[in-house]
Amino acid sequence: MPLVTAGVVVLDCAEPEKLAAFYKGLLQAEETDASANLVEIRAADGLRLAFRRDANSTPPSWPRPENSLQVHLDFLVEDLDAAERRVVELGGRPIEAKDTPGPGVSQERGCSDPAGHSFTLRLARQRAPKQG
């Protein structure tokens, strides 16, 4: 048995219930645990995220340098436009980074959740079947 196994990615925020609802909708996840200060969810692919109450939580300001990137999640998607629309429907927002090409050109899009945590929607690579 390994000494350390994968656990849960925990995001600090002021309102864990609201942030959990955002990610449940984005990932089509289910709530697996909840207390007064923590909500945990699990996506169909097994990804586990938790949201911990921190009344003093300050959202990162990436890509601005004054409050550096504190955590970053990448989500693989088949359709960048559809995924970005879903983020906005759920209360998130796109993030424009100065070095990122415009929509339709890039293979990824920066976004933030309602609490300000940034993440990337990255186009999943289509893999050809292995030959030989």
Side-chain angles (χ1 to χ4, degrees):
M1 188 159 98
L3 180 61
V4 177
T5 58
V8 179
V9 175
V10 180
L11 300 177
D12 289 347
C13 58
E15 300 176 280
E17 301 82 6
K18 287 185 179 181
L19 199 53
F22 171 83
Y23 282 103
K24 281 171 42 179
L26 183 64
L27 300 172
Q28 296 180 332
E30 64 180 64
E31 188 173 297
T32 58
D33 194 18
S35 68
N37 292 312
L38 186 83
V39 178
E40 185 177 317
I41 64 169
R42 183 186 325 263
D45 66 0
L47 173 66
R48 293 170 55 201
L49 294 174
F51 311 95
R52 185 178 68 97
R53 187 176 317 279
D54 178 357
N56 297 317
S57 178
T58 303
S61 61
W62 183 88
R64 295 185 320 267
E66 63 269 11
N67 187 5
S68 67
L69 184 64
Q70 297 168 0
V71 67
H72 183 83
L73 303 170
D74 277 1
F75 297 111
L76 300 178
V77 301
E78 298 296 325
D79 182 331
L80 282 170
D81 292 330
E84 186 175 79
R85 281 192 301 273
R86 183 69 176 143
V87 165
V88 172
E89 288 170 5
L90 293 166
R93 65 181 177 83
I95 297 175
E96 292 183 347
K98 61 183 173 188
D99 297 330
T100 303
V105 177
S106 178
Q107 299 293 303
E108 60 184 44
R109 306 245 176 100
C111 296
S112 73
D113 64 29
H117 301 104
S118 63
F119 60 91
T120 299
L121 301 173
R122 188 164 30 105
L123 198 58
R125 293 184 186 191
Q126 301 297 321
R127 300 195 188 271
K130 199 172 190 177
Q131 301 293 320

